[in-house]
Amino acid sequence: MDRTLESLRHIIAQVLPHRDPALVFKDLNVVSMLQEFWESKQQQRAAFPSEGMVVYESLPAPGPPFVSYVTLPGGSCFGNFQCCLSRAEARRDAAKVALINSLFNELPSRRITKEFIMESVQEAVASTSGTLDDADDPSTSVGAYHYMLESNMGKTMLEFQELMTIFQLLHWNGSLKALRETKCSRQEVISYYSQYSLDEKMRSHMALDWIMKEREAPGIVSQELRTALRQLEEARKAGQELRFYKEKKEILSLALTQICSDPDTSSPSDDQLSLTALCSYH
């Protein structure tokens, strides 16, 4: 732990030379520090030159507790994990979580190396009850994950987040299974999507998939959206990276908006009543 803290102080001294490392996380102006951190990174090594800067989003609410999200260059997303009584407090708390993760991301242990890949693949095998042989088979989830890591050798985990989120969404959306039925390997799919960013066009395509699923199984969108909202809240309160959960919510909300505007999408049912309630909530 002492070595990690010393490494963080060294990183702060390099990236934020005008700040006292001992006071960084106590400074109320953490919002400007996060902005300064990423501006410094872009100047030093042109990190994410095509991306915008730090972007904040506050959820509309009539009163506390307030929720704020911050999206970093490269796509990683974090939120406030404390119960905040003002929007400004929620914004500062989200910035603090993002700054801590940004600093940890600079540690050597967060860079994708051969050793990192080996450890990550072993963890993936253990979590899926698979075998190490799966790592050499790109048609398996572990093999596809292995291929993605090797294709991003040298990057940090935050730089890798965009592609990882796309892969997670494709897996969740069922698109990977559909593409495999067209004889496209996961490796080919990953190589294809590596060329694109997760934008409104991709979200719209995935939302259309869920509208089709709603026609086959009325109520499925409302069920998935409830799950996504719960997962997003739990991950935010735990201080975790939120991009995957937030994108799920956005895609399902987009599908829900279209379904609510088209009453004939599915037949009335108990699930449809729940869906109507979610439409009002949305």
Side-chain angles (χ1 to χ4, degrees):
M1 177 62 75
D2 290 340
R3 186 175 298 176
T4 299
L5 289 175
E6 184 60 34
S7 297
L8 285 176
R9 292 192 185 101
H10 179 67
I11 292 168
I12 293 170
Q14 283 186 318
V15 185
L16 301 173
H18 305 298
R19 305 283 185 174
D20 184 346
L23 301 176
V24 163
F25 299 119
K26 298 178 182 178
D27 195 327
L28 290 177
N29 203 14
V30 68
V31 172
S32 68
M33 280 193 291
L34 180 64
Q35 185 76 19
E36 183 183 340
F37 174 88
W38 283 98
E39 286 178 353
S40 176
K41 277 182 64 67
Q42 287 188 322
Q43 291 170 3
Q44 287 179 6
R45 58 187 203 192
F48 311 110
S50 63
E51 297 286 342
M53 290 306 297
V54 178
V55 178
Y56 291 88
E57 175 190 353
S58 295
L59 293 188
F66 293 99
V67 175
S68 181
Y69 297 111
V70 54
T71 301
L72 304 177
S76 292
C77 179
F78 299 93
N80 60 298
F81 70 94
Q82 299 189 73
C83 181
C84 298
L85 302 182
S86 71
R87 289 184 175 84
E89 183 186 358
R91 183 184 173 104
R92 286 195 300 270
D93 195 51
K96 184 181 294 185
V97 175
L99 181 59
I100 291 172
N101 279 274
S102 297
L103 290 169
F104 267 99
N105 190 61
E106 296 298 301
L107 294 174
S109 61
R110 298 297 292 169
R111 195 164 292 280
I112 300 175
T113 62
K114 289 183 179 180
E115 293 75 17
F116 180 89
I117 292 174
M118 185 179 298
E119 292 177 5
S120 299
V121 168
Q122 289 174 345
E123 290 175 2
V125 168
S127 65
T128 59
S129 301
T131 67
L132 282 175
D133 291 337
D134 293 339
D136 296 322
D137 182 0
S139 67
T140 66
S141 296
V142 173
Y145 181 52
H146 186 198
Y147 172 78
M148 281 197 300
L149 287 171
E150 287 193 329
S151 300
N152 289 269
M153 185 84 74
K155 291 184 178 180
T156 64
M157 288 306 293
L158 288 188
E159 291 172 319
F160 177 60
Q161 188 61 50
E162 176 89 358
L163 178 59
M164 186 61 187
T165 301
I166 290 175
F167 178 75
Q168 289 175 306
L169 288 171
L170 291 171
H171 182 75
W172 161 72
N173 202 44
S175 298
L176 284 180
K177 182 179 179 182
L179 286 166
R180 281 171 61 193
E181 292 173 354
T182 64
K183 298 182 179 180
C184 288
S185 69
R186 293 193 184 204
Q187 185 170 328
E188 291 173 321
V189 173
I190 294 167
S191 297
Y192 174 79
Y193 279 101
S194 297
Q195 307 171 46
Y196 298 92
S197 60
L198 187 46
D199 54 15
E200 288 300 325
K201 185 176 180 181
M202 189 177 292
R203 293 186 192 99
S204 296
H205 281 303
M206 291 188 180
L208 286 173
D209 289 338
W210 282 101
I211 291 172
M212 296 301 294
K213 291 177 183 180
E214 179 70 22
R215 290 172 179 167
E216 298 173 358
I220 191 172
V221 170
S222 63
Q223 293 172 13
E224 285 288 329
L225 183 54
R226 282 195 294 267
T227 299
L229 289 169
R230 186 186 71 250
Q231 290 174 333
L232 179 59
E233 183 177 13
E234 290 174 350
R236 177 179 61 80
K237 290 180 177 178
Q240 298 175 4
E241 204 284 323
L242 305 175
R243 184 70 185 276
F244 173 55
Y245 305 111
K246 193 168 181 292
E247 290 294 344
K248 282 176 66 176
K249 187 204 79 167
E250 296 294 334
I251 290 165
L252 291 165
S253 296
L254 189 60
L256 185 64
T257 299
Q258 182 61 38
I259 291 168
C260 288
S261 66
D262 182 9
D264 296 327
T265 298
S266 57
S267 57
S269 64
D270 290 340
D271 282 331
Q272 191 67 19
L273 294 176
S274 298
L275 187 147
T276 303
L278 275 172
C279 284
S280 302
Y281 170 80
H282 173 63

